């Protein structure tokens, strides 16, 4: 794991770092530690090299553990973006974010997932009624969210349409 950090931060060799993570995950049984590494590997595939298929496969493997753990919560959250941004499959993206909010209510990604649902309805599906309903859920279900101002701006934007 120290080698991973070394390659990523010091040498900026993402491909080598990814290979190290893949080797470690393959050689070790599933545990919270390997799930954390798989999440890093999924994020690298998604965000750095845009390998959507591999990111989807990794996130799904994490989700399939069905653990109530922040790693699983983040995998659900990231999977929504992979489906929306990588595959333009908006319904599947919405499904993952909705499951995250429903199955693991009040997790650290609840407000962001609810916001992503509303934003997807507004921007990608142009369903302003559902967008407004879901923006309002952020206000009502997550009153301490850092997204409150963005949500209010979005509601005003929708009202202007």
């Amino acid at each position: 794991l120290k080698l991973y950090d070394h390659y990523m931060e010091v040498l900026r060799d993402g491909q080598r770092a990814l290979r190290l993570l893949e080797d470690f995950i393959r050689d070790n049984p599933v545990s919270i530690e390997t799930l954390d590494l798989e999440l890093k590997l999924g994020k690298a595939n998604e965000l750095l090299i845009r390998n959507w298929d591999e990111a989807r496969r990794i996130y799904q493997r994490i989700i399939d553990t069905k653990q109530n753990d922040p790693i699983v919560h983040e995998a659900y959250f990231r999977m929504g973006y992979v489906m929306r941004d990588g595959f333009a499959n908006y319904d599947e993206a919405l499904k993952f974010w909705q499951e995250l909010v429903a199955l693991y209510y009040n997790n650290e990604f609840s407000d962001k997932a609810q916001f992503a649902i509303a934003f997807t309805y507004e921007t990608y599906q142009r369903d302003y009624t559902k967008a407004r309903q879901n923006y309002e859920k952020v206000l009502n279900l997550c009153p301490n969210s850092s997204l409150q101002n963005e949500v209010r701006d979005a509601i005003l934007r929708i009202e202007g349409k």
Side-chain angles (χ1 to χ4, degrees):
L1 299 180
K2 290 180 183 177
L3 274 177
Y4 168 80
D5 292 334
H6 176 72
Y7 282 114
M8 281 302 286
E9 294 174 20
V10 178
L11 299 179
R12 302 278 184 224
D13 187 349
Q15 293 296 327
R16 180 79 190 261
L18 288 176
R19 283 193 299 277
L20 285 170
L21 281 179
E22 289 166 347
D23 291 344
F24 183 84
I25 291 166
R26 187 175 36 257
D27 296 340
N28 292 281
V30 174
S31 67
I32 292 298
E33 292 78 24
T34 57
L35 286 180
D36 183 49
L37 291 176
E38 285 199 69
L39 182 64
K40 288 179 182 176
L41 186 60
K43 287 166 67 173
N45 276 286
E46 173 195 358
L47 302 170
L48 297 176
I49 59 178
R50 301 286 192 219
N51 185 343
W52 305 110
D53 287 318
E54 186 65 13
R56 177 174 55 180
R57 186 183 64 75
I58 292 167
Y59 293 148
Q60 189 62 58
R61 193 168 54 227
I62 295 169
I63 290 167
D64 287 345
T65 67
K66 305 240 185 269
Q67 296 183 40
N68 188 3
D69 184 87
I71 294 167
V72 175
H73 305 163
E74 188 169 358
Y76 265 102
F77 183 67
R78 300 291 345 143
M79 182 70 113
Y81 282 106
V82 166
M83 298 311 294
R84 186 185 77 188
D85 300 341
F87 295 100
N89 190 335
Y90 310 127
D91 291 333
E92 278 295 302
L94 292 168
K95 181 190 89 159
F96 280 101
W97 290 321
Q98 290 164 342
E99 283 180 13
L100 172 61
V101 173
L103 293 174
Y104 307 109
Y105 176 73
N106 204 22
N107 69 75
E108 63 276 21
F109 294 97
S110 291
D111 61 336
K112 295 172 194 71
Q114 195 64 56
F115 185 88
I117 292 166
F119 184 81
T120 300
Y121 277 126
E122 177 189 4
T123 306
Y124 294 91
Q125 296 190 324
R126 306 256 189 253
D127 186 334
Y128 302 115
T129 302
K130 286 185 179 178
R132 182 184 173 90
Q133 290 168 349
N134 282 281
Y135 281 130
E136 288 174 350
K137 284 183 181 180
V138 177
L139 294 175
N140 296 329
L141 300 176
C142 311
N144 297 323
S145 172
S146 62
L147 297 170
Q148 292 286 317
N149 288 334
E150 288 179 64
V151 169
R152 287 186 186 91
D153 291 344
I155 291 172
L156 290 173
R157 184 174 60 243
I158 290 172
E159 287 174 353
K161 293 186 179 188

